[in-house]
Amino acid sequence: MLNFDLQNHRPLREIVYEQLKRQILTGRITPGTRMMEVELAEEMGVSRTPVREAIRKLEKEGLVTIEPRRGAYASDISVRDMVDTLEVREDLEGLAAALVAGRMTEEQIDELTRIAKNYSSAIKNSETEKMIHYDEQFHRYIVACSGNKTLVQISETVQELALRFRYLFYDDFSRYENMPVEHRQIIEAIKGGDAETARTTADNHVKRLKEFVIQEGEAVFNHQ
C-alpha cells in the first residue's frame, strides 16, 4: 500500500504512475505480467481510476501493451530492444564524456572515482542492487557534469530503459564483472582532457556491452 503521508502534496495519479513504472523498470512486475486494474488498486489501496490512468500513460511510454479483449500487460523485452537502447547510449555517453573532458573539477573527479569504487565493492560482495545503483549513478553523473540540459533530459529516458535491462539480466551477464576496469579508463580519459579520447573510451565501454548482448542475449532470453 502506498505511503500517502509522505506524498500527499502530489496528485494521486502521479504517485500511482511512478510506483507502477518503478515496479516495471526494476522487474518487480516482469515482462508479460497481466496488469489487472482491480488487483493493483487493492494492492495499492486506491481506486481503479488512477491505476487506469497510470496504465494508459505507461502504454504511451512503451512499458505497457494493451490488447483488445486481452487487457494490459507489462511489455516484453527482446534482444533487439536492448541493442536499440545501447546504440543510443553509446552515442550519448560518448558525447557526455567528450563534453566533460578536461572540464571536470577535482571535486567532481573525486566524486566520480568514489562512485566507481563503490561499484567495484558491490561486485566483489555480489550485491546486485548496489551494482545496479552505482553503475547507473556513474553514467548519470558524467552526463550531469556536462551541464547540457538537453543531453540530461534525453539521457534520463534512455537510462530508464537501460535500468529495466539491468534488473532483468544483471545476474546472467558476466560482462558486468569487467566494468570496474573500464570505468577507471573512462575516468582517466576524462582527466586527460582530450575530448576525442574520452569519447572513444566511453563509446567502446557501451559498444562492448552491446556486442556481448548480441552474442549472448538470445541464450539468456531463452532461460527467462
Side-chain angles (χ1 to χ4, degrees):
M1 184 172 291
L2 299 178
N3 186 340
F4 296 110
D5 291 336
L6 297 178
Q7 309 184 76
N8 58 14
H9 62 289
R10 300 171 58 219
L12 182 59
R13 64 178 180 277
E14 289 185 11
I15 300 172
V16 171
Y17 157 74
E18 290 181 4
Q19 289 282 339
L20 289 178
K21 182 175 185 176
R22 183 71 184 175
Q23 289 184 46
I24 292 173
L25 290 175
T26 60
R28 286 189 58 194
I29 296 178
T30 58
T33 298
R34 182 89 178 270
M35 305 285 286
M36 303 288 289
E37 288 181 13
V38 174
E39 292 180 5
L40 290 170
E42 290 179 353
E43 179 184 323
M44 303 176 86
V46 300
S47 69
R48 291 177 61 180
T49 299
V51 173
R52 185 181 305 116
E53 292 175 349
I55 288 174
R56 287 174 179 167
K57 189 172 181 180
L58 290 166
E59 181 193 23
K60 293 179 180 178
E61 296 181 3
L63 293 175
V64 168
T65 300
I66 299 177
E67 298 181 6
R69 296 183 297 279
R70 292 196 63 215
Y73 297 81
S75 298
D76 288 328
I77 299 178
S78 67
V79 169
R80 183 67 254 173
D81 294 329
M82 296 180 70
V83 171
D84 286 350
T85 300
L86 289 168
E87 284 177 345
V88 177
R89 268 192 64 193
E90 188 179 324
D91 281 347
L92 291 180
E93 293 182 18
L95 172 60
L99 289 174
V100 302
R103 290 168 46 187
M104 289 181 74
T105 66
E106 186 175 338
E107 290 76 14
Q108 288 173 327
I109 290 291
D110 287 345
E111 175 62 12
L112 189 60
T113 301
R114 183 192 68 79
I115 295 169
K117 287 180 178 178
N118 286 338
Y119 177 75
S120 298
S121 297
I123 286 183
K124 290 178 182 177
N125 296 324
S126 300
E127 297 173 303
T128 302
E129 281 283 340
K130 289 184 178 180
M131 288 182 215
I132 293 168
H133 171 73
Y134 290 117
D135 186 22
E136 182 183 22
Q137 189 178 25
F138 180 86
H139 295 288
R140 285 181 186 271
Y141 190 72
I142 294 173
V143 172
C145 288
S146 74
N148 186 309
K149 293 181 180 179
T150 301
L151 179 59
V152 170
Q153 290 173 350
I154 295 172
S155 295
E156 186 70 23
T157 299
V158 175
Q159 283 291 350
E160 282 188 346
L161 293 172
L163 179 62
R164 196 177 185 205
F165 303 149
R166 287 185 175 111
Y167 271 92
L168 286 171
F169 306 110
Y170 218 106
D171 288 340
D172 294 299
F173 282 174
S174 58
R175 162 83 188 102
Y176 287 96
E177 295 175 1
N178 301 321
M179 287 193 177
V181 172
E182 294 178 19
H183 284 174
R184 288 195 294 273
Q185 291 171 344
I186 292 171
I187 294 172
E188 289 304 313
I190 290 172
K191 286 172 64 177
D194 185 276
E196 283 308 309
T197 299
R199 182 193 295 271
T200 301
T201 305
D203 274 352
N204 289 339
H205 173 64
V206 181
K207 187 178 292 182
R208 281 189 281 267
L209 177 57
K210 181 183 69 176
E211 290 170 352
F212 183 84
V213 167
I214 292 171
Q215 293 171 5
E216 305 292 337
E218 290 296 347
V220 173
F221 271 93
N222 290 337
H223 286 87
Q224 295 301 313

